[in-house]
Amino acid sequence: MDFDQDLADVLAASVKNLDPPVTRIVAESARLGRAHRRAQRLRALRVGGASAAVAAVFCAAVVTSQLRDRSAPVPPPPAEPASTAASPTAPPTASPSPSPSPSSSGLRADAQLTPDAMVKLLSDRLPAGGAFVKYQQPYADHSPTEELGAFLRYDDGRGTATFQLTLRKEARPFPGGGRTPGVQDAPFHCDGTPLRPSGPPPGPLSCRTGFLADGSWEMVSATDAVVPGLYGYQVAIWRPDGVVLVFAEFAGTINAYGHEEAATRAEPPVPLAQWQGIAESPDWQFQVPRALVDEGARLASGIPRAPFPEG
């Protein structure tokens, strides 16, 4: 008999009377299926929970950022580009100040200073509202390269005053080595008049001297002794190059001989500190721009003239 056939018959006989537990097998299969599905659901829940946690963290960060931004100051909107045209609602700007004298504008000093140009320089530095009412040239018989000046009467509505401007070259040598000029050395000095720091009109009496930053020697005085009985301010400067400048203003008018004609006010029109600043300007030079000379001539042509000395 064939061996394969014998083996098949033996196997068939061994299983012929078997009774398999079908019910148990089905139940076990169902249990395993349920367990598998439960495991899948748990995995899904874990993944979903992790995703929800990430989303919650992200949302919390966004909300926190928004709350933080709300508590911070709100930045202003960006400014619009500036316009070259004035806004119709903008406040009006102040009117431009008078143009400075050409001597302070950097022009080349190519002309000789004149008395008229001195009037122009002074006019540009005076307070607004006044006018020159008389103009004299006191040094017409002197060389303009050595000495020149202008005497002016001025009215600002508070009484007529007198200005005297002189620019000249000093023959004495300027003291060197920072040496203080003595009374015999200097072209001007305090005269020893009793001083009064304060008091009733005509006001304080004072005189002081000292060096300026450029090495010039200066005297500044408030006195009633230059023109006896007429209160005034005087600033005199001696520069190291030998040029002497003497500027005086008086609270009244002076006659042809330098005597008081009339005291018209308690004080000169320009405060002493401002008068000192006018005198210390570097624009007072013997050589000035041609434009200053021309502008001075135009200004002086409208001021009433008088000979010096008068009649």
Side-chain angles (χ1 to χ4, degrees), residues 69-70 72-76:
D69 290 343
R70 271 183 204 167
V74 179

Side-chain angles (χ1 to χ4, degrees), residues 55-289:
V57 171
F58 176 76
C59 291
V62 171
V63 171
T64 302
S65 174
Q66 290 177 342
L67 290 174
R68 185 180 297 116
D69 290 343
R70 271 183 204 167
S71 64
V74 179
E80 296 182 0
S83 171
T84 55
S87 168
T89 59
T93 56
S95 57
S97 57
S99 59
S101 301
S103 59
S104 60
S105 61
L107 298 177
R108 185 167 62 92
D110 55 356
Q112 173 68 37
L113 179 70
T114 63
D116 293 352
M118 296 180 75
V119 175
K120 169 62 176 171
L121 284 171
L122 177 62
S123 174
D124 289 346
R125 289 157 174 79
L126 293 177
F132 299 120
V133 295
K134 187 167 74 171
Y135 171 32
Q136 297 172 288
Q137 294 184 7
Y139 307 115
D141 57 341
H142 294 197
S143 169
T145 62
E146 298 295 325
E147 185 172 30
L148 73 165
F151 287 4
L152 298 146
R153 285 192 183 177
Y154 175 79
D155 192 351
D156 60 358
R158 301 180 188 85
T160 306
T162 301
F163 295 139
Q164 293 185 346
L165 314 178
T166 299
L167 195 70
R168 63 180 177 83
K169 293 180 179 177
E170 174 60 39
R172 285 173 284 194
F174 191 85
R179 183 174 61 85
T180 299
V183 174
Q184 302 301 320
D185 301 329
F188 48 79
H189 60 274
C190 293
D191 58 9
T193 301
L195 305 183
R196 184 177 64 217
S198 62
L205 300 179
S206 63
C207 186
R208 62 184 185 274
T209 57
F211 285 104
L212 297 177
D214 65 355
S216 299
W217 180 250
E218 180 184 61
M219 181 188 75
V220 180
S221 68
T223 180
D224 57 2
V226 174
V227 176
L230 190 61
Y231 188 60
Y233 301 145
Q234 186 182 72
V235 178
I237 298 173
W238 186 16
R239 297 173 181 160
D241 62 1
V243 173
V244 171
L245 176 151
V246 181
F247 282 10
E249 59 168 338
F250 300 97
T253 56
I254 302 170
N255 65 22
Y257 302 98
H259 297 152
E260 176 190 358
E261 188 174 77
T264 61
R265 51 197 298 156
E267 297 178 332
V270 182
L272 179 55
Q274 185 177 347
W275 188 246
Q276 181 180 356
I278 291 173
E280 290 177 359
S281 169
D283 291 340
W284 302 100
Q285 303 289 341
F286 275 98
Q287 291 297 121
V288 294

